[in-house]
Amino acid sequence: MQSFDALLREAEVAHGHLCAGQILGVRMAMLGCERLGVDDPKGVDRKRLVTYIEIDRCATDAIAVVTGCRLGKRAIKFRDWGKMAATFVDLTSPLAPQGDTPVYKALRIAALESSKQRARDLYPHIENKNQQQMLAYRELPNADLFSEEWVAVPIHPREMPGYKSARITCAQCGEGINYDRETLRDGKTLCHGCAFPEARYYQPLSPDELAAANSKAGA
C-alpha cells in the first residue's frame, strides 16, 4: 500500500483539488483495504475488490484512486443513497450463495457525523469549515471518523468485472444492449429506455421544443 501522503497527492490530481472529502475518502479506502488484508490493490490484488459507493461526492474519486476500482472496470458500483459511506467487497472471501448468486464478505464503512464536531473541537480558531476539517481528518483516529460493519454482499455473475454477454439489439430504437439489460415486452426485445419510456432520465425534444431551446440559447 502506498503512503497516505502519496495517495492523497494522487487523489488531488485525479479530483482537481484537495478538500476534506478527499482526505476522508483516502482514509476510508485505506482502512477498508487494511481490514480486508488487501496490501496492493492496484497491483497483485487488483482483481480482488469490488467497491460499492453511496454518494457522488469528492470522496468517491479518492476511493477509486486508493482501491484501483473504476466504474469502467465494473469494479465500482454506485448506489445513490446520499451517504458518505462505502462497502469494500473481498472477492476472495465467498460466503454461502443465495441460489445462483454468489455472496461475499465485505466491510461497510461510514463517516461519522460526530467527526465534524470533533474537527470544531480540535480547531475552534479556524472559521473555514473545509480547512478545519482538512486538518482534523488527517489527525483523528479511525474510530473518531468512521463506523465499521462486516456485511454480506450478493453479486450476481452478470454484475462482476469481466462478465461477457451477447450484445442484443433493441427492436425499437436499434441501439445495442450489453450485460443482459434487455426487456422482453409484447414479444419484442427492448432496451430499458424503450420498454419504460416514462422512467428514462431524458425525454426527446419535439422539433418545436428544440427550436424554442435554440432560440432561447441564442438570445
Side-chain angles (χ1 to χ4, degrees):
M1 177 69 70
Q2 296 168 262
S3 70
F4 170 73
D5 288 334
L7 288 167
L8 198 58
R9 285 193 294 271
E10 285 191 25
E12 180 180 5
V13 171
H15 187 63
H17 68 271
L18 186 61
C19 62
Q22 291 288 96
I23 296 171
L24 208 59
V26 167
R27 291 199 58 183
M28 181 184 289
M30 291 183 73
L31 178 60
C33 289
E34 177 186 340
R35 294 287 192 258
L36 292 175
V38 175
D39 299 319
D40 189 7
K42 293 185 283 188
V44 296
D45 296 322
R46 66 186 181 278
K47 295 183 179 181
R48 186 173 164 183
L49 283 175
V50 165
T51 303
Y52 286 77
I53 297 178
E54 299 179 19
I55 195 167
D56 52 351
R57 292 286 294 169
C58 308
T60 299
D61 288 342
I63 291 168
V65 164
V66 176
T67 61
C69 295
R70 296 287 187 273
L71 187 64
K73 293 181 179 180
R74 311 192 81 218
I76 275 185
K77 309 294 185 182
F78 175 53
R79 298 294 182 266
D80 192 8
W81 288 9
K83 292 187 175 184
M84 185 69 79
T87 298
F88 303 90
V89 184
D90 184 359
L91 298 181
T92 66
S93 295
L95 303 174
Q98 295 180 2
D100 61 350
T101 301
V103 179
Y104 302 93
K105 184 180 78 173
L107 181 66
R108 183 177 182 271
I109 302 177
L112 296 171
E113 284 298 299
S114 56
S115 64
K116 296 177 182 177
Q117 183 59 51
R118 293 287 289 115
R120 288 192 288 269
D121 293 341
L122 276 177
Y123 296 102
H125 58 286
I126 298 177
E127 294 184 3
N128 184 286
K129 289 183 180 180
N130 186 57
Q131 293 297 322
Q132 190 182 70
Q133 291 169 6
M134 284 176 65
L135 287 171
Y137 292 168
R138 286 174 177 269
E139 302 173 9
L140 287 170
N142 286 323
D144 286 347
L145 291 177
F146 306 115
S147 65
E148 302 176 41
E149 181 183 16
W150 288 102
V151 297
V153 177
I155 306 179
H156 193 277
R158 66 171 173 264
E159 302 300 328
M160 291 289 285
Y163 175 75
K164 303 294 184 184
S165 68
R167 187 175 177 85
I168 306 298
T169 300
C170 175
Q172 184 165 316
C173 69
E175 295 177 0
I177 312 164
N178 295 308
Y179 305 121
D180 305 329
R181 298 305 199 261
E182 70 273 10
T183 297
L184 189 64
R185 173 166 286 191
D186 298 328
K188 295 182 179 179
T189 300
L190 302 176
C191 67
H192 280 246
C194 292
F196 309 103
E198 70 285 353
R200 287 186 299 207
Y201 73 89
Y202 67 92
Q203 294 299 327
L205 291 174
S206 68
D208 289 343
E209 290 171 328
L210 179 60
N214 290 338
S215 176
K216 185 176 181 180

